[in-house]
Amino acid sequence: MATTTALLVVYFLLAVVVTVESAVSVDEHAHSVRRNTREIGGAPEVEKNPQFWNNIAKTSIQDALRIQKNHKTKVAKNVVLFLGDGMGVVTVTAARILKGQKAGNPGEETVLNMETLPHVALSKTYNIDAQTPEVTATAYLCGVKARWATLGLDGRARNEDCGSSKGREVPSVLAWAEYAGKSTGIVSTARVTHAFTAAAYAHTANRRWEVDSILPPEAIENGCKDISAQLVDDNPGIKVILVGGRRHFHAGTDPEYPTDPGSNGVRSDGRNLAQDWLFGKTSARYVWNGTDFRTINPQTMDYLLGSRIDHGHHEGKAVKAINEAVAFDDAVEVAKDLLNLDETLIVVTADHAHTVSLGGWDTARGSPIFGKLDPDYVVESVGDKLVPDGKPYTALQYGTGPGYNISALREDITNVNTANPDYVHQSAVPMIRESHVAEDVAIFADGPMAHLFHGVHEQNYIAHVMKYAACLGEYAEDCDREERVASGTARGSFSTAVVLLSIILQLAWV
């Protein structure tokens, strides 16, 4: 890739069904329920000493004082946004425990890579017309809150109303980087037309308008373009596109799965958008398999088109979702190791949370995160068993979702392997798919201007901090550039790289 590559939007949505390594063996919990877990688990010996906790707190205070005295204020050469779709605070907590248990530890004491980023805040996720959000990418990528299910449009545009979108387009951080002469890119393990990817480059009155064959008559009459076509026709400057969603770019048989009708292309206009994307470009290549991808020389290639924590939470499958959150945290570690945090702003956050909860009375220290809890546990203050039906339950549960049973009593999971990736966790309210929630989500940050994340923020604030840190958009001439350049960032180095690595871990299937 040319050395001027500047703004790379990478969406990390792992939707493929994978075999995940559980923190516990299948045999251990497939047919048993832990009994007397407090005696079995117990506290680590070192933690019984009060000096252990005093030392941790003193070290944390010294770290906080050091951070406060040494805010990083250079103009950001790189901006890295990790966006965990649906990664609420409960998911982060569960991922922390799972990651520790995979390493052979109790788990609760583990520190995730994202949790080592020193500046922490909360983000309010509502849409301007919805308490519980649907799509929030316009906020964290474009800097304004918008209506439910719209993308890249301000709040005057209405859902499924093409006519209302005209003149309401708002540019993303990626677009501002292009305007400033930076190279840009999108990388995603999900389809590129997915809402959380599309907000980086598209403007549409409905997130579902991913391909021309599903555009409603009103949208066609008013000249609205599908999201796939917008990527190719209206964004010729995006240099790296490593994505899924090939079926939205052509019609007919898929080259990788020719015998699977479900993989066939679904365009109705006869266009092959991958070939259209290549037209007029030099040093450009379209690849759709790993073999071809491994032949790419990044030093000589200027343009590259390649072909989801996805289904987890919406399917009620917490095992999949939490394992993918651990993989997401591993990606944060890679970025921290590769990039200089004196010149790189890293932001880790989520678009919204889910109804998953983590708790229960009988959760001893080190209890397997996907294990079952004892229904016979008695709380002395109550003086009786807390689970009247006498059936075991899991610490991870959903408020809504497909794990309900309204035709009979609650399922007895005594002989069910709750650590199986396909196990559907029990839910309180019957829903075909588990829903989003309205609660705030966390923001973790480090690097130039990371200290601007400091309290409870509207979600659109995230895009503004990224723009201010890199002197983009409306902050190009209003970011105290001269003072910040004098603090140690060479003006020339800023002109070569502003990287937005937006890794979206889709915990939700939407």
Side-chain angles (χ1 to χ4, degrees), residues 132 155 184 267 322 342 397 433:
T132 298
T184 61
R267 293 203 68 81
I322 306 306
D342 286 332
Q397 303 169 28
R433 297 192 317 156

Side-chain angles (χ1 to χ4, degrees), residues 242 285 287-298 301 304 306:
L242 302 178
R285 189 171 173 188
V287 299
W288 57 267
N289 58 67
T291 300
D292 288 346
F293 179 77
R294 285 186 288 272
T295 67
I296 297 296
N297 183 350
M301 190 65 58
L304 177 64

